[in-house]
Structures are given as structure tokens and as C-alpha cells.
């Protein structure tokens, strides 16, 4: 007796069943069709991508994903979550009458490709372009409806020509505080030349200054400028890092190397000029509140006063948010890097200096030098962390408290940063926790000037910590010509600020935590700066005709790295090794001269600061973007005064840096008249993360998740018990599942449905390969409701649907439409499933109007099967641009609802009533019901509470 294969027998019996093989054939065929037909091409109103005028006239939607970085490892199933979501939303918008721009490019400069090049000797362009092609193939398999004509990579010279051009616009601009916007630097120079604007720091005329002196003056104004500044130097990587690239324990985010403070000449962006606007314009953006809060905290606006403390005939200026506590300032602290430290540090310790103040050193100079070396080994993040033990050293100098004339000692300590405020603080230890701890450690006086409203009293020597409150009265604060005693904090602030201003020793002011953006990197794989230096070291912008300045070839891609612990080292960039490229003779308009090129490159943030504009007009070689095209897609309109992309989806990890930098560039371009949108992204949505279980053996080493077995509630790998913990998905954790695997086993439509059905889009969720089959079965049932599995023929009927089916259909249409609009894709799928199950249970052929509406509802979610079924239903045009079904309100509302009748809180009857029944009518119906009459038993009624249409509560007398 021969054995039969059940699966093979099933395929013979149902040769037209929806299987993985059929899904693969359908999906590949429709992807080819969409590409050939340009199905997802979004027409511009003009230019080389102009198209169907009727489509251009429709409302537009610009939907964007955050730039992907093409990794050599390829995609795992966590990566496409956001891409699938934006694709579903974009498809829905096309079906609801919009011209939709949805495309994807690649953010391809940066450290990963460069490190790969260093390891393998492969040129970063070669490996990056190979990674891009692999990623494109993986994404295409998902059926994403991108306008591929608009795609690009940041490494394309045609693209980074405009990144360099934008840098030059910023370099050639200054921020006019009076106008509240950026203006061309030429207008500032004209003001200096005419004498209308005095030249700062000198009484000489502009014409009397040398070229170097003029460059120095302009450098104080330019929005992109080079300066000698404290930077985060990482010898182990051979490059300078932005604060945000340094971990809390003072190490590099990439590679975990020590990071040191060093002073280097670097390019910076004057983003601080836009601090107020970056804050104010957040209000009009449709962003998650948590992201707005992170931006506000990063910008860190605080109101207070600047106060001058006299010292040796000069002054130390501090910024304080609590000028009302000036009488409580008993010492000062400067950042170790403060330039005044060297100026006022005496040769010997003053008489009576406490031993604890000296750090055990014989002279102030020795103490300061030793402490500075100690502080340089810490990052800003480390220095701001709440350390248990406060460190510092006395400089040997005393300043004068301007409100009471007291001489107060001046210390340096690493918890004060040059980058915040003025790099100096007045210490009021009674009312600041860090100052209190420092004062206790260094035996400094603590004076109470804000009366505690608890039971601690006013003698700080008995306190365990500082008292910091705004809800209190000021005490011990009377001096020459001013008294704050008895005032509340707000009144005291106003009075002391007025007194400071009237005496010329301070003023009310605003301060920001935000620092200028460090824009130099000592790497190869980045955009070259379009800057050259003349023989006097003066920076000159390249003319636009010389752009793009392309990356030259170098033999060694790596920046020179050093012993990770050797702080006494300097960057050596890869570009500096190509002397033919670095040293050039150019004619910049005044004859041929010798110049030296800038050998740093731009950070990988540069290309992603403006890519939304390139999507609009990707082939324009004459200008950044055509104004009419930019206005069409991104210009301001009702409800979005600053313009921007309609929907921007990506991870919350970019909450501050990328978003802040892109906003800054948009505002500069807006001020200079190049774009109409002052904000890049109007609506922001952060998708959650797809997580996966990580299995580790007894050594803590990850084992292949796919090979782990579950037995008796425990997990086993090759006979050894392993632990399981939910975490990230990734190659190194041996728990990555690729989209290719799932597509091969079930098809791309199943993968799309599963990722969208896992839960709310903004919530992280665990991947479970075993659960994917549920969505595959949904598609099989959908197919079976329309196609005969034995013959392949369509089985729908032209008969009218019954009442129940009409109600199920229109409720589904109404619910799915609302869910897709609100990006609630998981509940949309649940409603589609419910309708499909209704049709399955009803049996018999599905009425054609119901089948077609169902296919249209599925189309944004599972486009391949929808396209196939739409064609089988007799249509010759693509499902992509069909109108999304509209629900009939008459069928959406239930014919009846169940009303519960309670007596003394207990249910006595259930009534079927119309949804629109009035409270008066519902009360009559309830009181007439025989069960209610019997339950009352003739008792009187004290009160009837009616909540139409679902509840009647009767309170007997």
C-alpha cells in the first residue's frame, strides 16, 4: 500500500489555493507591473516630474520615513515596521483623493562604512552602494509604493553639492537680532563699511582693518564659524565627538573609548541664535508631547540676571536664575577652563587659606594645573552628573559680592561648565543642593536667605541639605540702598534686578542650555567642506561654480588613532594625506592664488538636515528646490503656519539631535528666502520597536533563538538550559529574523499584516514567528471567499446582500476608514477580519459589492493580493488609485441596542430599543415592561435615572 503526502494531496485537490508559492508569484508580478507603469509616481506642478494636472489639483500629502542607513547586515523584521506603516497610510491617502508623495532615499555617509573600509580595504563607496542595492531589493519585496524617480543617496555628488551649498549659505549669513532672522553677511559688511554699524571691539573704521582682522570680526557673527573651542577628543577613534556622542561615563558611544577635553579649531553652527524660535515654533507642530518636552529641555531656556562680581579691578560675570538670593552668595566657582583663572591666580596662597582648599598643593598655580588635568579627563555629561563627593580647588583669589561688599573666595570645580551660562556661578549653598554639598566639603560659610517653610529653622549648620523653594519669603537680605526682606521670590527677583541695572552691575537676561553645534569630524567618509584657507589662514568660501567639491581618493581611509588613554594627542585627518588635493591654486575672483583646503569633513547629520527638500525636486541641478514645487508640497497653509512634511515617521531616538538640526537648517533657508516652510516636519509619529527574545547560556553568551526548544516551561539549547529575556533584535544577539525568511514562507502581504496587527504602532511589541500564520490564514480565507480553490474561478454573486451582511459591511467600512486615518492599523485589521469571518460563516457566494468593498479595504494593508483579486473581479485598472469605500450611515447605526433596567442596583430587565430613543420615551417603555412592573410589586417610585439608550435605574420609594 503506497503512502500519500497530505500536503501534496491537498494541492492537487485545491490547485488554486492561496499558498506561499502563489503569494510569491503574485507579489513579484505586481511589483514588476507597478514599476513598469509608474503606479506610484507623484506628479509635481511643474518641471521634469510634472504630470497629470487632474492629480496635481487634488489635495496633496507628503509622507516621509526617517532616512535609513544601509547596513551590510541587511534588514531584520524590526526595520520595516515604520516603512510598512507609512506605506499603508500613503495607500489609504491615495484612495481618499490625494496626490501622495512617498519615496525613500539613503543616508550613506558616516562611520560604519568607513570602519568597514578600514577593516577590509574596500572603498566606502563600494560597500555602501552594495548595501544600498541589497536594501532596495529587500524593501521592494515588501511591496512599498515609493516613487522611485525621487530616490537618492547622500553620497551622490549631485546631492552633496547642495549640502555644501547650504553650508555656504549658513557661512555667508549672520543673525540679525533686531530683525529676528538670518541675513546675508554682505549686508553686515555694508553696514560696517558705511559706518552705519560700529565695528565691535575697536574705534577704527572697517577700511582700516586688515583682512585677518575683518575675518575675525565676521567670525563673531557668521552662522557657520571656525573657532578654538573645548571639544570632546577621542584618541581611540582619532576624531572629535559632539556632546551627544559621548556616554554618561565619559566614553565614546561608538567603540566605548575614553573621551578627553581638548582645545582645537573646529567648525561650529550658531544654532544658539535660533534658540527662542526653536522653542516657540514647537507649539504649532503636531508632535508627541514627550518629544516636544525633550526638545524644550535640550534648549533649556531660563530667565534670570547677569551679575558682575568685581575682582582686582575687573569683573567675573555670572548668570543666575535666582538673583533674589544674592545676599546668600558666600563663594564663587569657575569652570576649570575659564580664561580668568590664569589671570587672577596669585603666586602664593593668601594668609589663612584653609588646608582643605589647597588640594595639598604648595601653590595656587600647582593646584589649578593639577585639577584642570583631572577635569579634562571627564565629559560634560560626567561633570554634570550628581557625584557623591564634590571636588574642586581654591584659586587663591577673592571676588566681591556686589550687594554687601563681602570678599568671597573663588574656586574652580568640574560641576561648572564653560559651555553653560558664563562658565561661572555665584554659590548660594543654603539654597542649592550642589553648592551645599561643596560648602560642607570645603568648610565654607552657609547663609540662609530664603526662610524655610518646614520645621528646619534658619540655622543651616543644623540642616542635612539645602532648602530650595519658590514658595517662601526672603530674609537676611538688606544692604546699601536695597532690601529684599519680607518679599516673595518673584517680587524679590524684580527688585534686585532693577537695583542691579540702576547701578550698572547687572541686568535681567535669558540663558539657554543649548550649545552651538560642533560641525567638524576628523574622518574621510563625509562631505568635504567647500572652504579653502589663504596663506594668512583666512577662510574663503568656494564659489557655487566649483561645487560639488568631491571627495578625493586616499590610500588610508582611517583617521590616525592613538592609545585610547593618551589625551596629549591631536587629530590627523585622512584627507590631509592627499597633498595634491589639499594644496591647490585657485582663482576665486581676484586672480590665481595658493590655498589649502579644509581637511575635516561634515558630520553624518549634514545630509539628513535637508533631504525632505531634495525629494521634492530631485534632479534640479540649478537650484536647491524650485520655489513653486516646494510651496506646493511643503508650504504653509491653514492649520500649519510653518509648513512642513505632512507626516514624518521614525524612531524616538532622534528626538533631539536630527530633529533640532533639521529645524535649524530649515529656518536659515526660510530666512534667506530659499524655501517657504520654516519647519521641516509638521506631524511627527514615533513607531515602537519590534523586540525579540534573547536566549543566553550559563556563560551569558547569546545562542541562536531559532534553535531553542521550550519544554516544561523552560528553554533548552543543545541539551543545556538557557535563560530568556525580551530585548532588541539583532545579528549579534542571534535572534534576528529577516523579512526574506517570512516572505519566503508566507509572502510579503502576510508579513505586512502581521507587523501592523501586532499592536498599536507607537508601542514596542515582541516578535513571534509562530503567530505570523494567523495573518496568512486571514488572507487564505479572503481568497477563498472570492476564488474557487479547485477551479480558480471567481465565485461572487450578483445577488443583493442580506440585511445582516450590509450592516457588517458598512460597519467595517466606517471602522476601517477611521482606523486607517488615525494610523490604528491593528484595529483596522481586526475589523477586516471580523467582516471576512462573517462572510465565511454566512456560506454561499459573496455578493459582488461586498467582495469589491472588502478588497478595497484590504488594498492599503495587503496590496498584492488586493491587486490580484481586483483584477480577477473583472477590473482592468489598478486598485491603487480606486476610491476607498464610503459607509452608508443608515447601516452603521445599530437597529436596536440593549437597555439594562435596574431596581435598587440589580438588573431586572433587558429591553431592545432604538439607538435614538429619547430619555422620556425610554422611561415610559421601562416602567411599562412586565418584568419591571412585577419587580416593583406596586411599590411607589422615588426617582428614575435614565441614560438613554443603555440604562434605566429605578429607585423605589
Amino acid at each position: 500500500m503506497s503512502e500519500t503526502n497530505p500536503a501534496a494531496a491537498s494541492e492537487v485537490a485545491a490547485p488554486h489555493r492561496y499558498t506561499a508559492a502563489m503569494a510569491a508569484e503574485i507579489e513579484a508580478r505586481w511589483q514588476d507591473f507597478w514599476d513598469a507603469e509608474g503606479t506610484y509616481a507623484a506628479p509635481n506642478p511643474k518641471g521634469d516630474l510634472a504630470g497629470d494636472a487632474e492629480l496635481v489639483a487634488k489635495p496633496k500629502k507628503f509622507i516621509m520615513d526617517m532616512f535609513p542607513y544601509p547596513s551590510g547586515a541587511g534588514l531584520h523584521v524590526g526595520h520595516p515596521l515604520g516603512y510598512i506603516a507609512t506605506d499603508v497610510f500613503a495607500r489609504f491617502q491615495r484612495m481618499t483623493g490625494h496626490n501622495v508623495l512617498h519615496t525613500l532615499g539613503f543616508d550613506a555617509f558616516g562611520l560604519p562604512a568607513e570602519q568597514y573600509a578600514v577593516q577590509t580595504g574596500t572603498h566606502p563607496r563600494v560597500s555602501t552602494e552594495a548595501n544600498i542595492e541589497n536594501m532596495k531589493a529587500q524593501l521592494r519585496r515588501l511591496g512599498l509604493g515609493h516613487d522611485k524617480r525621487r530616490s537618492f543617496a547622500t553620497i551622490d555628488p549631485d546631492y552633496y553639492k547642495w549640502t555644501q551649498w547650504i553650508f555656504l549659505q549658513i557661512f555667508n549669513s549672520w543673525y540679525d537680532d533686531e530683525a529676528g532672522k538670518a541675513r546675508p553677511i554682505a549686508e553686515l559688511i555694508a553696514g560696517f563699511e558705511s559706518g552705519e554699524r560700529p565695528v565691535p571691539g575697536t574705534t577704527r573704521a572697517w577700511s582700516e582693518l586688515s583682512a585677518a582682522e575683518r575675518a575675525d570680526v565676521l567670525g563673531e557673527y557668521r552662522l557657520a564659524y571656525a573657532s578654538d573651542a573645548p571639544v570632546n577628543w577621542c584618541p581611540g577613534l582619532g576624531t572629535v565627538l559632539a556632546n551627544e556622542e559621548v556616554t554618561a561615563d565619559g566614553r565614546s558611544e561608538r567603540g566605548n573609548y575614553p573621551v578627553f577635553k581638548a582645545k582645537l579649531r573646529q567648525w561650529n553652527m550658531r544654532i544658539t541664535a535660533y534658540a527662542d524660535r526653536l522653542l516657540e515654533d514647537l507649539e504649532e507642530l503636531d508632535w508627541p508631547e514627550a518629544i516636544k518636552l525633550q526638545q524644550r529641555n535640550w534648549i533649556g531656556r531660563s530667565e534670570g540676571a547677569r551679575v558682575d562680581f568685581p575682582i582686582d579691578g575687573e569683573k567675573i560675570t555670572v548668570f543666575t536664575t535666582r538673583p533674589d538670593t544674592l545676599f546668600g552668595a558666600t563663594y564663587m566657582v569657575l569652570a576649570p577652563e575659564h580664561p580668568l583663572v590664569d589671570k587672577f591666580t596669585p603666586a602664593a596662597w593668601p594668609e589663612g587659606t584653609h588646608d582643605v582648599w589647597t588640594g595639598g598643593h604648595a601653590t595656587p598655580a600647582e593646584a589649578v594645573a593639577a585639577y584642570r588635568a583631572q577635569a579634562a579627563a571627564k565629559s560634560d555629561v560626567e561633570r554634570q552628573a550628581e557625584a557623591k563627593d564634590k571636588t574642586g580647588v581654591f584659586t587663591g583669589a577673592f571676588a566681591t559680592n556686589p550687594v554687601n561688599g563681602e570678599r568671597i573666595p573663588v574656586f574652580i570645580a568640574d560641576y561648572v561648565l564653560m559651555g553653560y551660562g558664563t562658565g561661572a556661578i555665584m554659590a548660594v549653598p543654603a539654597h542649592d543642593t550642589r553648592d551645599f554639598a561643596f560648602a560642607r566639603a570645603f568648610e565654607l560659610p552657609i547663609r540662609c536667605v530664603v526662610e524655610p517653610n518646614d520645621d528646619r529653622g534658619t540655622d543651616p549648620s543644623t540642616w542635612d541639605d539645602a532648602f530650595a523653594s519658590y514658595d517662601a519669603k526672603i530674609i537676611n537680605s538688606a544692604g546699601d540702598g536695597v532690601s529684599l526682606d519680607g518679599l516673595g521670590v518673584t517680587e524679590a527677583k524684580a527688585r534686585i534686578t532693577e537695583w542691579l541695572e540702576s547701578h550698572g552691575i547687572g541686568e535681567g537676561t535669558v540663558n539657554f542650555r543649548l550649545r552651538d553645534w560642533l560641525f567638524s569630524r576628523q574622518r574621510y567618509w563625509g562631505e568635504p567642506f567647500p572652504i579653502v584657507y589663504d596663506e594668512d589662514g583666512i577662510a574663503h568660501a568656494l564659489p557655487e561654480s566649483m561645487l560639488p567639491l568631491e571627495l578625493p581618493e586616499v590610500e588610508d581611509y582611517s583617521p590616525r588613532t592613538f592609545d585610547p588613554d593618551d589625551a596629549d594627542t591631536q587629530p590627523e585627518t585622512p584627507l590631509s594625506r592627499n597633498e595634491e588635493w589639499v594644496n591647490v591654486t585657485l582663482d576665486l575672483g581676484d586672480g590665481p592664488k595658493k590655498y589649502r583646503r579644509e581637511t575635516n569633513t561634515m558630520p553624518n547629520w549634514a545630509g539628513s538636515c535637508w533631504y525632505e527638500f531634495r525629494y521634492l525636486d530631485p534632479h534640479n541641478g540649478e537650484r536647491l528646490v524650485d520655489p513653486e514645487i516646494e510651496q506646493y508640497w511643503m508650504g504653509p497653509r491653514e492649520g500649519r503656519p510653518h509648513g512642513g512634511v505632512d507626516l514624518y515617521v521614525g524612531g524616538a531616538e532622534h528626538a533631539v539631535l536630527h530633529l533640532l538640526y533639521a529645524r535649524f537648517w530649515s529656518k536659515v533657508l526660510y530666512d534667506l528666502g530659499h524655501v517657504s516652510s520654516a519647519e521641516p516636519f509638521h506631524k511627527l509619529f514615533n513607531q515602537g520597536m519590534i523586540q525579540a527574545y534573547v536566549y543566553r547560556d550559563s556563560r551569558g553568551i547569546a545562542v541562536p533563538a531559532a534553535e531553542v526548544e521550550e519544554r516544561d516551561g523552560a528553554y533548552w539549547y543543545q541539551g543545556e538550559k538557557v535563560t530568556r529575556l525580551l530585548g532588541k533584535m539583532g545579528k549579534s544577539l542571534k535572534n534576528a529574523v529577516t523579512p526574506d525568511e517570512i516572505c519566503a514562507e508566507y509572502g510579503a502581504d502576510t508579513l505586512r499584516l502581521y507587523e501592523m496587527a501586532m499592536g498599536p504602532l507607537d508601542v514596542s511589541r515582541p516578535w513571534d514567528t509562530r503567530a505570523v500564520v494567523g495573518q496568512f490564514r486571514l488572507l487564505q480565507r479572503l481568497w477563498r471567499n472570492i476564488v474557487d480553490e479547485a477551479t480558480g474561478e471567481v465565485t461572487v454573486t450578483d445577488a443583493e446582500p442580506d440585511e445582516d451582511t450590509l450592516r457588517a459591511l458598512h460597519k467595517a467600512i466606517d471602522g476601517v476608514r477611521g482606523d486607517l486615518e488615525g494610523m490604528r492599523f491593528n484595529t483596522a485589521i481586526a475589523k477586516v477580519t471580523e467582516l471576512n469571518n462573517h462572510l465565511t460563516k454566512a456560506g454561499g457566494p459573496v455578493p459582488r459589492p461586498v467582495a469589491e468593498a472588502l478588497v478595497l479595504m484590504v488594498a492599503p494593508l495587503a496590496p498584492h493580493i488586493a491587486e490580484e483579486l481586483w483584477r480577477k473581479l473583472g477590473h482592468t485598472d489598478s486598485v491603487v488609485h480606486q476610491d476607498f469605500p464610503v459607509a452608508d450611515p443608515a447601516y452603521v447605526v445599530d437597529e436596536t441596542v440593549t437597555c439594562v433596567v435596574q431596581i435598587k442596583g440589580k438588573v431586572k430587565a433587558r429591553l431592545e430599543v432604538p439607538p435614538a430613543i429619547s430619555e422620556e420615551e425610554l422611561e415610559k417603555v421601562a416602567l411599562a415592561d412586565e418584568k419591571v412592573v412585577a419587580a416593583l410589586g406596586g411599590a411607589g417610585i422615588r426617582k428614575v435615572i435614565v441614560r438613554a439608550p443603555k440604562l434605566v435605574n429605578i429607585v423605589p420609594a
Side-chain angles (χ1 to χ4, degrees):
M1 181 176 170
S2 63
E3 292 184 7
T4 59
N5 182 325
S10 173
E11 284 182 25
V12 171
H16 297 279
R17 174 169 295 169
Y18 184 80
T19 61
M22 179 184 283
E25 187 276 322
I26 289 172
E27 289 165 4
R29 179 158 39 82
W30 284 113
Q31 287 159 18
D32 289 344
F33 173 85
W34 294 329
D35 282 352
E37 295 295 314
T39 301
Y40 303 109
N44 278 345
K46 62 180 293 192
D48 68 316
L49 299 185
D52 183 353
E54 191 178 330
L55 187 50
V56 170
K58 290 183 175 183
K60 59 87 198 171
K61 285 285 181 187
F62 183 7
I63 296 165
M64 256 181 77
D65 299 278
M66 286 189 185
F67 243 173
Y69 191 91
S71 159
L75 298 176
H76 61 61
V77 292
H79 291 126
L81 177 67
Y83 307 146
I84 295 170
T86 51
D87 187 62
V88 172
F89 189 71
R91 289 174 180 279
F92 173 71
Q93 294 298 324
R94 286 190 194 94
M95 296 178 76
T96 51
H98 295 84
N99 183 18
V100 177
L101 193 169
H102 187 216
T103 190
L104 196 71
F106 300 91
D107 192 12
F109 275 126
L111 201 52
E114 185 169 284
Q115 288 183 326
Y116 184 76
V118 171
Q119 292 162 10
T120 65
T122 308
H123 193 288
R125 179 173 290 280
V126 173
S127 60
T128 302
E129 288 180 345
N131 293 344
I132 288 173
E133 289 309 308
N134 182 49
M135 192 170 184
K136 281 182 177 178
Q138 286 188 297
L139 292 172
R140 184 181 190 271
R141 195 168 181 182
L142 297 175
L144 303 178
H146 293 145
D147 184 345
K148 295 179 180 177
R149 305 170 304 165
R150 298 174 183 264
S151 187
F152 54 80
T154 54
I155 59 174
D156 300 340
D158 286 347
Y159 180 82
Y160 70 73
K161 165 187 175 177
W162 296 105
T163 308
Q164 292 170 336
W165 181 87
I166 295 170
F167 174 83
L168 292 179
Q169 306 312 300
I170 300 171
F171 174 73
N172 286 319
S173 301
W174 63 291
Y175 198 84
D176 184 344
D177 288 314
E178 291 180 12
K181 62 181 238 179
R183 292 173 57 192
I185 202 80
E187 295 177 13
L188 178 66
I189 295 170
F192 288 147
E193 287 176 337
S194 68
E196 179 188 339
R197 181 179 289 273
V199 180
T202 182
T203 56
R204 290 184 292 160
W206 183 254
S207 59
E208 296 171 0
L209 302 184
S210 68
E213 287 172 322
R214 291 180 187 180
D216 286 344
V217 170
L218 294 178
E220 295 300 314
Y221 287 87
R222 292 186 188 275
L223 288 178
Y225 64 95
S227 70
D228 292 315
V231 295
N232 300 307
W233 166 235
C234 181
L237 287 176
T239 190
V240 165
L241 302 174
N243 285 343
E244 305 80 39
E245 296 169 312
V246 181
T247 64
D249 56 354
R251 302 181 79 85
S252 61
E253 196 173 46
R254 183 174 290 276
N256 196 37
Y257 293 112
V259 176
F260 303 93
K261 277 292 175 193
K263 216 163 194 183
L264 296 170
R265 192 156 188 82
Q266 301 285 299
W267 282 98
N268 296 273
M269 293 274 179
R270 208 179 299 275
I271 191 173
T272 48
Y274 283 82
D276 270 321
R277 282 171 62 186
L278 289 167
L279 267 179
E280 291 162 8
D281 292 353
L282 276 173
E283 301 306 318
E284 300 288 348
L285 300 181
D286 185 3
W287 286 17
E289 270 309 312
I291 303 298
K292 287 186 178 183
L293 181 61
Q294 287 185 63
Q295 293 244 326
R296 291 188 190 106
N297 289 343
W298 194 263
I299 296 166
R301 187 182 194 277
S302 53
E303 293 186 15
R306 289 187 182 272
V307 186
D308 296 334
F309 283 69
I311 180 169
D312 293 353
E314 296 199 34
K315 65 186 180 184
I316 298 173
T317 301
V318 304
F319 170 80
T320 175
T321 58
R322 293 296 302 267
D324 54 302
T325 64
L326 258 166
F327 284 91
T330 58
Y331 64 98
M332 298 187 76
V333 183
L334 306 186
E337 307 88 354
H338 200 293
L340 289 181
V341 174
D342 291 327
K343 194 167 189 178
F344 297 121
T345 299
W349 293 117
E351 191 175 339
T353 297
H354 295 223
D355 288 345
V356 72
W357 293 7
T358 68
H361 296 280
T363 67
E366 289 175 28
V368 166
Y371 190 78
R372 279 178 159 172
Q374 176 185 325
K378 294 183 181 179
S379 70
D380 286 357
V381 177
E382 259 188 302
R383 286 169 58 171
Q384 288 176 294
E386 289 295 333
K388 187 177 179 183
D389 299 319
K390 293 295 174 198
T391 64
V393 71
F394 179 41
T395 63
F398 288 84
T400 303
N401 187 329
V403 295
N404 57 19
E406 286 185 1
R407 287 178 81 238
I408 58 176
V410 180
F411 285 74
I412 59 172
D414 60 12
Y415 75 91
V416 178
L417 305 177
M418 263 320 289
Y420 181 73
T422 64
I425 66 163
M426 62 174 213
V428 184
H431 308 295
D432 180 274
T433 299
R434 290 187 306 176
D435 295 347
F436 185 92
F438 192 92
R440 280 283 168 87
F442 289 89
E443 301 172 7
L444 289 157
I446 302 175
R447 181 182 303 127
C448 176
V449 293
V450 182
E451 186 173 32
N453 49 20
D454 52 24
D455 59 2
R456 71 174 71 197
T458 59
D459 179 5
S461 67
T462 65
W463 297 359
D464 293 325
D465 197 1
F467 171 75
S469 172
Y470 274 79
D471 185 21
K473 297 291 183 187
I474 304 300
I475 59 173
N476 300 329
S477 297
D480 185 20
V482 65
S483 174
L484 309 181
D485 289 346
L487 297 180
V489 169
T490 304
E491 295 169 281
K493 280 185 174 185
R495 182 172 295 182
I496 194 65
T497 301
E498 184 182 345
W499 183 85
L500 290 167
E501 289 176 348
S502 68
H503 285 71
I505 53 175
E507 62 177 348
T509 189
V510 173
N511 199 44
F512 294 91
R513 178 178 177 269
L514 181 67
R515 299 296 92 206
D516 280 346
W517 173 15
L518 177 69
F519 201 68
S520 295
R521 295 295 183 274
Q522 292 68 45
R523 298 201 285 255
Y524 170 71
W525 194 232
E527 298 90 344
F529 282 92
I531 294 288
V532 291
Y533 300 92
D534 64 23
E535 292 176 334
D536 296 320
I538 298 170
H540 297 266
L542 291 181
E544 187 178 331
S545 61
M546 291 187 182
L547 302 182
L549 173 60
E550 295 196 33
L551 264 178
E553 295 299 319
V554 295
E555 290 183 10
D556 182 2
Y557 307 116
S558 57
R560 184 182 173 195
T561 57
F562 303 88
D563 180 328
D565 296 307
D566 187 356
D568 297 322
T569 48
Q570 291 273 320
E572 181 188 294
T573 63
L575 291 183
S576 65
R577 299 176 198 135
N578 187 328
E579 291 192 14
E580 285 185 15
W581 184 82
V582 174
N583 299 302
V584 289
T585 299
L586 301 172
D587 185 350
L588 300 184
D590 52 356
K593 292 183 181 178
K594 291 182 178 179
Y595 294 96
R596 177 178 53 84
R597 294 196 193 278
E598 172 63 71
T599 61
N600 287 311
T601 53
M602 298 186 198
N604 62 313
W605 304 106
S608 59
C609 275
W610 72 280
Y611 68 124
E612 65 280 4
F613 296 118
R614 194 60 176 173
Y615 284 148
L616 308 182
D617 196 9
H619 311 131
N620 196 331
E622 303 303 314
R623 59 198 310 170
L624 180 78
V625 59
D626 184 281
E628 187 180 333
I629 294 172
E630 187 272 335
Q631 172 77 38
Y632 173 80
W633 289 110
M634 288 183 65
R637 57 189 192 278
E638 190 176 349
R640 52 189 70 190
H642 304 304
V645 173
D646 295 286
L647 176 66
Y648 192 40
V649 174
E653 66 271 16
H654 296 296
V656 174
L657 303 182
H658 159 59
L659 293 174
L660 205 57
Y661 297 158
R663 295 181 64 214
F664 165 53
W665 278 34
S666 283
K667 290 184 185 305
V668 177
L669 291 170
Y670 171 78
D671 287 354
L672 298 176
H674 299 300
V675 299
S676 68
S677 45
E679 285 284 343
F681 315 115
H682 173 71
K683 181 178 176 64
L684 174 70
F685 189 97
N686 296 125
Q687 86 271 15
M689 184 187 296
I690 289 184
Q691 299 171 303
Y693 287 110
V694 183
Y695 298 89
R696 297 185 185 275
D697 62 20
S698 56
R699 301 166 298 166
I701 295 173
V703 302
E707 298 174 32
V708 172
E709 296 177 0
E710 183 179 355
R711 297 198 306 269
D712 304 324
Y715 303 95
W716 302 82
Y717 172 70
Q718 294 184 350
E720 180 190 349
K721 198 172 182 181
V722 293
T723 60
R724 183 180 84 158
L725 193 67
L726 195 60
K728 283 186 175 183
M729 182 179 284
K731 194 174 180 181
S732 64
L733 298 171
K734 299 183 181 177
N735 62 354
V737 179
T738 69
D740 309 64
E741 295 172 54
I742 303 301
C743 289
E745 192 166 354
Y746 299 106
D749 280 340
T750 294
L751 174 62
R752 291 170 60 104
L753 281 177
Y754 177 65
E755 294 215 359
M756 294 300 95
M758 290 170 77
L761 185 60
D762 57 351
V763 175
S764 292
R765 71 295 298 273
W767 176 269
D768 182 0
T769 299
R770 293 169 302 180
V772 177
V773 71
Q775 298 306 319
F776 184 58
R777 288 175 182 147
L778 165 62
L779 294 180
Q780 287 185 313
R781 286 193 296 271
L782 168 67
W783 181 268
R784 203 157 41 236
N785 277 330
I786 297 173
V787 177
D788 187 300
E789 291 184 335
T791 66
E793 296 299 312
V794 170
T795 58
V796 298
T797 175
D798 292 328
E800 288 295 313
D802 60 37
E803 188 82 4
D804 284 349
T805 298
L806 280 173
R807 290 199 175 281
L809 171 65
H810 287 280
K811 279 188 176 181
I813 292 171
D814 182 61
V816 171
R817 178 182 273 266
D819 286 344
L820 292 180
E821 185 64 57
M823 299 180 72
R824 299 181 296 273
F825 304 130
N826 58 319
T827 53
I829 292 168
K831 292 178 176 73
V832 166
T833 304
E834 191 177 341
L835 174 61
N836 199 49
N837 289 345
H838 169 89
L839 299 176
T840 301
K841 288 174 186 172
V846 175
R848 175 175 286 276
V850 179
E852 293 192 345
L854 178 57
V855 168
L856 292 171
M857 279 188 276
V858 166
L861 296 152
H864 307 91
I865 193 172
E867 194 78 89
E868 184 75 7
L869 290 172
W870 189 247
R871 191 59 60 99
K872 282 185 174 294
L873 285 165
H875 301 280
T876 56
D877 47 356
S878 170
V879 76
V880 170
H881 292 286
Q882 300 304 310
D883 291 336
F884 198 84
V886 177
D888 184 336
Y891 290 108
V892 172
V893 179
D894 288 324
E895 280 190 303
T896 63
V897 295
T898 302
C899 174
V900 172
V901 184
Q902 297 178 335
I903 299 175
K904 290 184 180 179
K906 293 185 178 179
V907 177
K908 296 299 180 182
R910 285 185 170 83
L911 313 173
E912 293 299 316
V913 298
I917 192 169
S918 67
E919 292 190 351
E920 296 79 8
E921 183 64 26
L922 182 56
E923 182 177 335
K924 285 180 189 175
V925 171
L927 293 177
D929 183 81
E930 59 184 28
K931 290 181 183 175
V932 174
V933 172
L936 285 169
I941 296 172
R942 183 158 61 89
K943 191 175 184 182
V944 179
I945 301 165
V946 182
R947 297 286 182 266
K950 293 190 174 181
L951 176 68
V952 176
N953 196 1
I954 301 169
V955 183

